[in-house]
């Protein structure tokens, strides 16, 4: 799976190592060393995936992530020396799809990139039907979501959660089950990440996120998507 990957990392040695591993995987790689250059590259020649360091000069990683999230669903893998759960959740709130703490294994980074790209790209089978649940339509073949006939921009992780829930409306999913759908987090402390995903999704699909009608909380258990399903 060859892709165009943008690496935004101010440590030149680390950036060169990441480039080497990604190019060995067959990807085309561009490296920038500050946040503003990353923004220029994303909007000038959009990559398939962004590897984004948290601490960048000019504009830090969170600011870059916030800026590009207003424009699309580019997969973002955040790299950081910060390792607390609160830092992780903040990265997710800003729209990062995966999160690796330094020091990390370059081989694991390549594996995470591979997973994110696979999740972000539409299925080649063309056999998956769109799922309609009330006003919400999830189309796995096109990797697209609409709600009340308006397009909804989702990160790959958000899309996977909606896809799983739309396939079984009314079913209650635990946080662990939804976490497995995102296929990026293997830390025991990150079940709270699902709460962040749900908050972000409610902002996108609910008329009033404070009084949700689609993505419902089942207290003490998890979440469910309200409504009946039919093919679209």
């Amino acid at each position: 799976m060859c892709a165009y990957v943008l690496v935004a990392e101010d440590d030149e040695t680390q950036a060169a190592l990441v480039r080497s591993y990604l190019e060995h995987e067959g990807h085309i790689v561009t490296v920038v060393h500050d946040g503003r250059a990353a923004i220029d590259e994303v909007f000038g020649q959009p990559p398939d995936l962004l590897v984004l360091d948290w601490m960048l000069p000019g504009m830090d990683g969170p600011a870059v992530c916030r800026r590009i999230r207003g424009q699309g669903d580019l997969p973002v893998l955040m790299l950081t020396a910060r390792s607390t759960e609160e830092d992780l959740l903040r990265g997710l709130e800003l729209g990062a799809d995966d999160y690796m703490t330094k020091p990390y294994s370059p081989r694991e980074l390549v594996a995470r990139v591979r997973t994110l790209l696979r999740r972000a790209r539409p299925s080649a089978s063309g056999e998956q039907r769109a799922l309609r649940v009330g006003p919400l339509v999830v189309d796995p073949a096109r990797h697209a979501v609409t709600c009340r006939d308006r397009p909804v921009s989702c990160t790959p992780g958000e899309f996977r959660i909606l896809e799983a829930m739309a396939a079984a409306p009314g079913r209650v999913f635990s946080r662990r089950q939804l976490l497995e759908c995102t296929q990026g987090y293997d830390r025991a402390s990150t079940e709270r990440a699902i709460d962040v995903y749900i908050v972000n999704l409610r902002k996108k699909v609910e008329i009033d996120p404070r009084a949700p009608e689609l993505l419902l909380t089942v207290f003490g258990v998890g979440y469910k998507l309200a409504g009946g399903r039919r093919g679209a």
Side-chain angles (χ1 to χ4, degrees):
M1 182 185 294
C2 177
Y4 172 40
V5 180
L6 175 63
V7 177
E9 167 65 77
D10 65 330
D11 184 321
E12 295 189 10
T13 300
Q14 192 69 26
L17 181 63
V18 171
R19 179 202 284 272
S20 175
Y21 271 81
L22 289 174
E23 288 182 339
H24 186 266
E25 183 78 357
H27 300 305
I28 299 167
V29 181
T30 292
V31 173
V32 296
H33 300 296
D34 66 81
R36 297 194 184 280
I39 291 290
D40 290 343
E41 189 70 26
V42 167
F43 288 99
Q45 186 177 356
D48 296 306
L49 182 141
L50 172 61
V51 178
L52 179 64
D53 187 38
W54 186 288
M55 296 299 293
L56 289 172
M59 180 183 291
D60 65 13
V64 171
C65 196
R66 188 182 304 112
R67 173 73 183 279
I68 66 175
R69 270 295 167 253
Q71 301 296 322
D73 56 2
L74 170 68
V76 176
L77 171 58
M78 187 81 81
L79 306 178
T80 179
R82 301 168 181 262
S83 59
T84 69
E85 186 179 56
E86 292 305 316
D87 291 323
L88 166 66
L89 296 178
R90 185 185 172 200
L92 293 178
E93 287 170 350
L94 293 170
D97 299 286
D98 203 351
Y99 185 105
M100 295 185 69
T101 55
K102 299 179 178 181
Y104 55 82
S105 161
R107 291 183 178 178
E108 182 183 1
L109 183 145
V110 169
R112 298 285 187 96
V113 166
R114 188 184 305 124
T115 296
L116 284 172
L117 288 170
R118 185 171 61 246
R119 285 162 43 194
R121 292 183 171 180
S123 169
S125 68
E127 298 178 356
Q128 294 174 288
R129 298 186 64 187
L131 305 171
R132 181 181 294 274
V133 183
L136 182 70
V137 179
V138 180
D139 190 338
R142 295 178 176 82
H143 204 274
V145 176
T146 59
C147 190
R148 301 176 186 89
D149 298 320
R150 301 182 64 178
V152 177
S153 177
C154 294
T155 68
E158 291 169 354
F159 183 87
R160 290 301 185 194
I161 288 174
L162 282 182
E163 182 182 18
M165 298 179 83
R171 171 187 169 183
V172 180
F173 289 83
S174 69
R175 289 173 176 81
R176 173 55 56 185
Q177 289 170 327
L178 292 175
L179 193 63
E180 291 172 357
C181 292
T182 69
Q183 299 181 8
Y185 300 94
D186 55 3
R187 306 173 186 84
S189 63
T190 58
E191 287 190 23
R192 283 184 58 198
I194 295 303
D195 298 330
V196 177
Y197 277 121
I198 296 296
V199 167
N200 288 344
L201 283 169
R202 282 173 173 165
K203 292 176 182 177
K204 298 177 180 182
V205 303
E206 301 285 1
I207 295 174
D208 181 357
R210 295 169 298 180
E213 299 177 350
L214 295 173
L215 294 171
L216 305 181
T217 300
V218 180
F219 292 100
V221 184
Y223 298 97
K224 70 177 181 178
L225 182 62
R229 176 172 67 84
R230 59 185 174 85

